Amino acid sequence: MPAQAPGKYYGSEPRPFPNELLAFSWAALAQELGVTEDGAFNMAWIAVDRHVAAGRGERIAFRFLGEDERRSELSYRELAQLSDRFGNALTALGIGRGDCVFLLCERRCELYVAVLGALKIGAVVSPLFPAFGPEPIRNRMAQAGGKLLLTTSSAYRRKVLPIREQLPALQHVVLIDDLGAGPQAATLDWDSLLDAAPDRPALVPTAAADSALLHFTSGTTGTPKGALHVHQAILSHYATARQALDLQVDDVFWCTADPGWVTGMSYGILAPLAIGATSVVDVGDFDAVRWLTLLEREGVTVWYTAPTALRLLIKGGPGLFAGRHFPALRRIASVGEPLNAEAVAWAEASFGQTIRDTWWQTETGAIMLANTQSAKPGAMGRPLPGVVAHLVRRRGDSAVDGLESPEMLGEKGEEAVGEAVGELALETPWPSLFRAYLGQPERYRACFAGNLYLSGDLVRRDADGDFWFVGRSDDVIKSAGHLVGPCEVERVLMAHPAVAEAGVIGKPDALAGATIKAFVTLKHDVVASEALRSELLAHARRQLGPAVAPREIAFAECLPHTRSGKIMRRLLRARELGEPEGDNSTLE
Ligand code: 6R9
């Protein structure tokens, strides 16, 4: 094992980053992106108009793929012009700096134009998952006092009309497809709105620290939290897309996330635009054959996706890959949940490419840890340049008290090295760090201790300096005195050839405090049986030892996931214990 070089957060061997990335600074990056000294800073200008000004306007920004194989392309110049028009239309409607614009529609051209147009005039953009029903829409729009909503006529009729009276701040509803349904009272039509708008530049001078994006995220308890991000976050999107995804101007990039999830905004829209790459946008949801066809036919070079999708592809069996080739694909990255080592091995066999894990949160706004050159299957990687990560233990027993000076684990002086398990904490600030939970200042304050942001994730750092996911601190199980991270158990179960996916919970137990129960789904050609159950129990016991191995294993057809692909252990637990299911607004 190589010795740790003093003062390095990355370890010394192998060097995960080329020298020019290690030497990077936020100030130099801002300069590279054309940020001037006059204090004006607009992420949409950096993402789009900057390329037009530099003579790159004819490059393709987005290639949209419709349900019916229809394709359309939008150049940087067209995106700049359309977003100007939408921005000017918003201004004409009285929407301005700091006003909140909500988006509720599938991944189609108008959504992308609207995001950039609203950002240009300093409005705050909040994208909702298109599959949300009325209640999650109402909750989020009411919290933020949304003034304008962009949606489709069918979503409007089914989901928004029933709650519109409960949204007193909502002044305008813009429908992007007034077709068929006929005009609806008290709504505006996208085409007429854009036709009437002047096509001069819509830029309103915004500043780096002005609010730009609002992403709702669910906690274990309480209402969804609206994490607010500012214009300069795009510095993080740009830097991390290069560092962690190796995204370059010539790439054909496919980020499979919907903009309703932070990944679909930071990396589905802003990062590839800032870089000047071409993004493929697929309107459809996951479909194994469609996805593989898309990767192959569109010549995707960099693919950013999530473990659940990868596991669904694995479940589809090797036959899916017959006769397919992916010569263009040079990078696969994953985010959102633990990436098991088997999925990495499968990708190496199926695509001839490893999968590089990345770790981040709605709150961090951009990737913080990533497997770059030194990909260790199953590990999340190491802090990116500009990110300083520590492992801490909160003092006091409570999850939110005792934050004043958390104990640093495995530290020697300034160095954050050495093997340890603790809560992942990041030194603040960085450009895409969230600036508020809208209207919930105490919950925001509870995320910080001194200059550290506390992530709420338990993580193990190994002797090489690689980070491994252990679990959300709130999902952690205390069984017979042992702290068990559900993810460690799930990882072992998924290493068994019969298992596609596993979700692990603690079941209250008078003796042990909690016992460990696992729910597993099986691969496509595997049949559940008592013999298999015993085999899995034995396998887990062998790998994990009796203190950590599940006592019970149940076979399931599927596991509950959030729309961003995370297993909802909280829901598995509630269903197991017959408790109320709580806030299910993000359930897929
Ligand atoms: C981008 C995003 C954040 C939570 C995070 C952690 C989990 C994210 C992960 C991962 C294991 C990874 N998570 N990346 N767990 N391995 N590579 O996912 O944001 O929806 O806010 O979720 O997701 O628990 O704390 P968000």
Side-chain angles (χ1 to χ4, degrees), residues 209-234:
D210 279 2
S211 302
L213 304 166
L214 180 65
H215 278 288
F216 283 89
T217 174
S218 293
T220 336
T221 53
T223 60
K225 300 170 279 187
L228 192 64
H229 291 277
V230 297
H231 275 272
Q232 64 176 320
I234 198 163

Side-chain angles (χ1 to χ4, degrees), residues 217-218 261-263 304 307 334-339 357-364 369 379-380 453 455-457 469-472 487 562 564 566:
T217 174
S218 293
W261 180 28
V262 68
T263 305
Y304 196 24
S334 165
V335 64
E337 12 148 14
L339 177 66
D357 201 7
T358 65
W359 178 95
W360 57 292
Q361 303 178 306
T362 302
E363 288 81 351
T364 70
L369 308 180
M380 299 191 293
Y453 164 68
S455 72
D457 275 9
F469 190 72
V470 175
R472 292 287 308 169
C487 168
T562 63
S564 55
K566 293 182 217 323

Side-chain angles (χ1 to χ4, degrees), residues 210-555:
D210 279 2
S211 302
L213 304 166
L214 180 65
H215 278 288
F216 283 89
T217 174
S218 293
T220 336
T221 53
T223 60
K225 300 170 279 187
L228 192 64
H229 291 277
V230 297
H231 275 272
Q232 64 176 320
I234 198 163
L235 296 181
S236 295
H237 304 148
Y238 174 80
T240 55
R242 287 200 314 173
Q243 296 158 347
L245 309 176
D246 190 32
L247 195 60
Q248 312 281 341
V249 64
D250 292 329
D251 277 311
V252 177
F253 179 54
W254 186 25
C255 169
T256 58
D258 187 88
W261 180 28
V262 68
T263 305
M265 177 61 81
S266 295
Y267 297 97
I269 305 183
L270 297 163
L273 289 179
I275 283 173
T278 296
S279 286
V280 174
V281 176
D282 183 30
V283 77
D285 288 328
F286 178 85
D287 175 280
V289 171
R290 182 181 172 90
W291 275 34
L292 292 183
T293 307
L294 189 158
L295 280 171
E296 191 178 20
R297 195 187 52 206
E298 303 301 325
V300 172
T301 57
V302 180
W303 183 32
Y304 196 24
T305 189
T308 299
L310 293 163
R311 284 192 291 261
L312 284 171
L313 285 173
I314 298 176
K315 216 173 159 184
L320 279 176
F321 284 82
R324 293 187 190 274
H325 302 283
F326 308 91
L329 189 61
R330 64 177 184 83
R331 190 97 171 181
I332 308 175
S334 165
V335 64
E337 12 148 14
L339 177 66
N340 46 316
E342 294 63 39
V344 179
W346 164 86
E348 285 168 1
S350 311
F351 291 105
Q353 288 293 335
T354 193
I355 309 174
R356 292 160 195 279
D357 201 7
T358 65
W359 178 95
W360 57 292
Q361 303 178 306
T362 302
E363 288 81 351
T364 70
I367 301 168
M368 298 281 115
L369 308 180
N371 244 326
T372 51
Q373 263 107 319
S374 62
K376 250 187 212 168
M380 299 191 293
R382 302 175 185 191
L384 291 178
V387 174
V388 182
H390 298 272
L391 296 184
V392 304
R393 185 181 305 128
R394 301 185 185 208
R395 294 187 204 273
D397 240 5
S398 147
V400 286
D401 293 334
L403 295 184
E404 281 320 308
S405 55
E407 180 188 350
M408 298 279 191
L409 302 176
E411 310 272 318
K412 292 191 210 84
E414 293 292 289
E415 296 171 42
V417 295
E419 228 178 323
V421 176
E423 181 174 353
L424 178 62
L426 302 163
E427 281 186 18
T428 63
W430 60 90
S432 66
L433 174 66
F434 74 135
R435 303 307 154 103
Y437 283 137
L438 210 67
Q440 306 189 54
E442 29 352 275
R443 277 176 113 177
Y444 184 72
R445 266 197 303 278
C447 295
F448 297 90
N451 75 331
L452 294 178
Y453 164 68
L454 303 171
S455 72
D457 275 9
L458 289 184
V459 162
R460 180 165 66 85
R461 181 178 55 219
D462 68 18
D464 297 330
D466 282 302
F467 288 69
W468 299 73
F469 190 72
V470 175
R472 292 287 308 169
S473 45
D474 43 23
D475 274 341
V476 163
I477 304 161
K478 198 71 180 277
S479 179
H482 294 272
L483 212 53
V484 179
C487 168
E488 310 247 60
V489 181
E490 290 158 5
R491 197 181 284 144
V492 162
L493 287 169
M494 286 191 287
H496 190 281
V499 175
E501 193 162 47
V504 166
I505 62 163
K507 236 175 113 168
D509 181 83
L511 212 57
T515 59
I516 295 165
K517 173 160 186 177
F519 297 83
V520 301
T521 63
L522 299 173
K523 295 223 177 105
H524 72 294
D525 50 356
V526 181
V527 182
S529 68
E530 280 315 310
L532 179 58
R533 194 197 311 275
S534 313
E535 188 183 319
L536 290 176
L537 284 166
H539 160 83
R541 213 164 215 277
R542 230 174 9 247
Q543 301 286 324
L544 293 162
V548 180
R551 175 154 338 151
E552 257 181 278
I553 293 182
F555 295 116

Side-chain angles (χ1 to χ4, degrees), residues 99-110:
D99 290 336
C100 195
V101 169
F102 275 83
L103 308 167
L104 175 75
C105 63
E106 309 83 61
R107 293 179 292 280
R108 40 188 283 179
C109 175
E110 293 85 346

